Amino acid sequence: MIAPPLYTFNIGKIAVLFLIALLVLTERGIKKLWAAFIVILSGLVGFMVLRISLHEPLYHLLTGLFGVPVVLVALFYEMSGVSPGSADLEMDTKSLLSFSFLGTLLG
């Protein structure tokens, strides 16, 4: 009840910058340079995507980022012996109900 009225956009920016700096500066050696490179690269990608005149630029970005690894694995690795499986439910009723309840609760 106290924090939400005090929270402003500038405080959010400062908090994010603090967390980024903390993550980069706590690395050691060459990992620190890689961490800084990744932060700069992700910032540039975000900056470029948000400047494109798309209706939902983040949708396109996230679809590409999550879709490219799947496509690359499918192209470069042979998936022998993989079958689609059966459409029948292979789980007992007790497990199905407990997992459904847990998923609903956590969701």
Side-chain angles (χ1 to χ4, degrees):
M1 297 176 92
I2 297 170
L6 299 176
Y7 183 81
T8 64
F9 184 70
N10 288 332
I11 290 174
K13 287 194 299 187
I14 291 169
V16 168
L17 289 174
F18 174 75
L19 289 174
I20 290 172
L22 183 69
L23 289 172
V24 171
L25 295 176
T26 55
E27 294 294 333
R28 293 187 180 166
I30 194 75
K31 285 186 176 184
K32 188 179 288 193
L33 291 175
W34 276 109
F37 175 72
I38 300 270
V39 167
I40 291 169
L41 186 63
S42 65
L44 288 173
V45 168
F47 183 77
M48 289 187 301
V49 166
L50 292 176
R51 297 289 183 236
I52 295 174
S53 62
L54 294 172
H55 181 62
E56 294 288 337
L58 294 179
Y59 171 77
H60 299 285
L61 174 69
L62 293 175
T63 302
L65 290 176
F66 285 108
V68 168
V70 175
V71 171
L72 291 177
V73 166
L75 285 175
F76 293 114
Y77 294 101
E78 196 173 312
M79 299 291 176
S80 61
V82 176
S83 63
S86 170
D88 296 330
L89 185 62
E90 298 178 6
M91 182 182 288
D92 60 296
T93 306
K94 182 180 176 186
S95 295
L96 176 66
L97 290 175
S98 63
F99 284 124
S100 296
F101 176 73
L102 184 62
T104 302
L105 183 69
L106 295 176

